[in-house]
Amino acid sequence: MMMLIGGEWAAAAGGGVTGVTNPADLSAAGEVPQGGREDVSAAVDSAAEAFVPWSATPARERGRVLWRAAAAVRDAGDELAALLTREQGKPLTESKGEVLGFANVLEYHASVCGSLHGKTLDLQGMGKGLTLREPLGVCGAIIPWNLPALIMAWKTAPALATGNTVVLKPSSEAPLCCLSLASKLQEAGLPPGVLNVVTGPGAAVGEAIASHPGVRKVSFTGSSGTGKRVAGIAAPTLKRLTLELGGSDPAIVCEDADLERAADGIISARFYNCGQACTSLKRLYVMEPVADRLISMLKERVSALRVGDGGESGTQMGPLVSLQQQRLMRSFMDDLRSRGGEEASRGVVPDMKGHFFPPTLVTDPPSDARMLDEELFGPILPVVRTSSLDEAMELANGGPYGLGASVWTRDLDTARACAEGFRSGMVWVNMHLRVPVEAPFGGIGDSGMGRENGTESLDSYMEWKTVILG
Ligand code: NAD
């Protein structure tokens, strides 16, 4: 596939290409141009030129383009889902949900974009004033491989709805579905240059976007280390920044919880997308009196999970996205064993040469195990027994991340205490990993800054201008 610059499908200025591999069987899923600085410059120029007419287009008309694109994406849902599964590995049902999520995010922003306006101000004897809300200009979007379609929507929809133009860089592991989604937006009437997609390595394309003086904002989703680097690179040009970074979400299961419901919810929040979501449930703290019962329910469910090629029907968990992620998961298990820990149960992986890793349950890991400390971006679930809610909260709040957290209880006071006590941007009660577009989403600490979704994210794509009338 080609990349999209100024409304044209283009090869890289340097001529190189990068292959994309299907992680289930290591077959070729496609190839994309290996873009660089020159391509980013061309994309930013196109986006700057397109900004003038696009920002002057009535919001209602911008919304219509998003509605039409959403409808086209829904119509092509199966085909887009198959492409996403081929490059990323997730089961088709998850891919379809994600592609429809892309359409849903476009529709939400199309429906709210006509209602964004300033205020009139009574200036207490100094006359009247008003505020205008104006788009920023060219916005950069840098996205990861784990939920490429959904995260592309979280960044492009609010930017486009508010009259900005975009230069987007997908991850080299999963750029294909993003390019197809961009083509749906083009076909729906998005003018040339309003959305540009430049493929290529992070160190070249990502850094060129973050440092370009013509880019007014960067919205980055990825690991905390890369996010900090992007923030440093963007600082000299004083860009606005939204950073959606890593997470190590804890969950606490209380004595009074509905254990069947908790077990089902925990399994889906840990093993969805092969455990590769920023806000996957990554550490489980369970009250001692119900620990054995919950652990036995989890063991049963973990060993029953059907792992396989995401493209085959009935698959519940696909492979990891790459060899690098597979090695990372093995290193967590090696570290556990070196400290005297062991797995309690694991699923079965197919006899294929893809990057499979079994869904794995670890009970009572040593407290210094790396998996309790670092972001566990794969299908391993560590379970820690705790003797009080205070102890569980203290452990849950340990570490540098603060993305999501959940509590499983029937008691309203316990739920409220946890909601107030968790150090995180998101809290769920009796669920985890639900991220509706209507609700602001994001983290604190090493999980980043700023919010996506909801009307809160629209604020970050607009400038307030104050006019005082004499
Ligand atoms: P990553 O940080 O390696 O890459 C993210 C993007 O940044 C990719 O497009 C990559 O090419 C680009 N990049 C790499 N080096 C760069 C550089 N020097 N300058 C600019 N861009 C650069 O992350 P990943 O491995 O693709 O994704 C997994 C991570 O993303 C996990 O940590 C996960 O928690 C996080 N994530 C966070 C959220 C959230 O909303 N908080 C959502 C999904 C994923």
Side-chain angles (χ1 to χ4, degrees), residues 21-300:
T21 304
N22 179 337
D25 59 10
L26 309 191
S27 63
E31 62 178 28
V32 292
Q34 192 172 352
R37 278 190 181 270
E38 219 179 308
D39 304 291
V40 170
S41 274
V44 174
D45 289 349
S46 298
E49 199 180 316
F51 175 70
V52 179
W54 180 247
S55 58
T57 301
R60 186 178 297 169
E61 184 50 40
R62 294 197 298 259
R64 281 195 192 110
V65 176
L66 298 186
W67 279 115
R68 285 196 295 268
V73 168
R74 287 188 185 282
D75 284 349
D78 288 336
E79 186 193 318
L80 289 163
L83 183 60
L84 180 53
T85 288
R86 240 182 356 265
E87 63 180 337
Q88 204 274 353
K90 62 184 75 186
L92 276 175
T93 46
E94 291 184 9
S95 290
K96 184 77 183 282
E98 187 177 335
V99 165
L100 297 183
F102 178 95
N104 192 39
V105 173
L106 258 53
E107 288 156 359
Y108 170 80
H109 288 92
S111 66
V112 297
C113 72
S115 311
L116 301 169
H117 34 65
K119 299 174 184 169
T120 54
L121 311 171
D122 179 351
L123 301 174
Q124 308 295 313
M126 290 180 67
K128 298 282 181 202
L130 53 97
T131 53
L132 307 177
R133 303 184 76 185
E134 299 183 340
L136 306 177
V138 179
C139 296
I142 303 175
I143 65 173
W145 45 261
N146 62 333
L147 293 156
L150 192 62
I151 294 172
M152 175 177 175
W154 288 354
K155 299 190 188 309
T156 50
L160 299 180
T162 48
N164 297 282
T165 55
V166 174
V167 176
L168 177 124
K169 181 216 157 336
S171 158
S172 299
E173 274 85 4
L176 302 176
C177 189
C178 292
L179 288 164
S180 288
L181 290 166
S183 80
K184 298 293 175 207
L185 278 155
Q186 289 293 111
E187 287 157 24
L190 200 65
V194 172
L195 171 64
N196 305 272
V197 183
V198 182
T199 50
V205 176
E207 296 202 8
I209 292 173
S211 60
H212 198 294
V215 173
R216 296 314 316 140
K217 170 186 169 120
V218 169
S219 181
F220 170 87
T221 297
S223 59
S224 300
T226 312
K228 288 176 187 176
R229 185 168 170 78
V230 165
I233 295 167
T237 45
L238 289 181
K239 291 178 176 44
R240 284 204 192 184
L241 277 180
T242 300
L243 298 175
E244 297 289 356
L245 308 180
S248 181
D249 285 16
I252 297 177
V253 178
C254 300
E255 242 174 287
D256 68 338
D258 175 339
L259 292 188
E260 289 285 344
R261 179 178 176 185
D264 287 341
I266 289 161
I267 292 293
S268 100
R270 174 64 287 200
F271 299 105
Y272 165 78
N273 204 17
C274 199
Q276 304 166 116
C278 49
T279 191
S280 297
L281 189 167
K282 294 175 182 139
R283 296 172 289 145
L284 180 61
Y285 299 100
V286 55
M287 294 303 157
E288 183 68 62
V290 291
D292 284 344
R293 269 172 57 216
L294 182 68
I295 286 169
S296 99
M297 289 173 185
L298 292 173
K299 273 186 185 164
E300 212 175 284

Side-chain angles (χ1 to χ4, degrees), residues 301-318:
R301 285 163 172 79
V302 164
S303 48
L305 276 173
R306 282 184 61 182
V307 184
D309 182 338
E312 279 170 16
S313 75
T315 293
Q316 293 171 304
M317 195 182 96

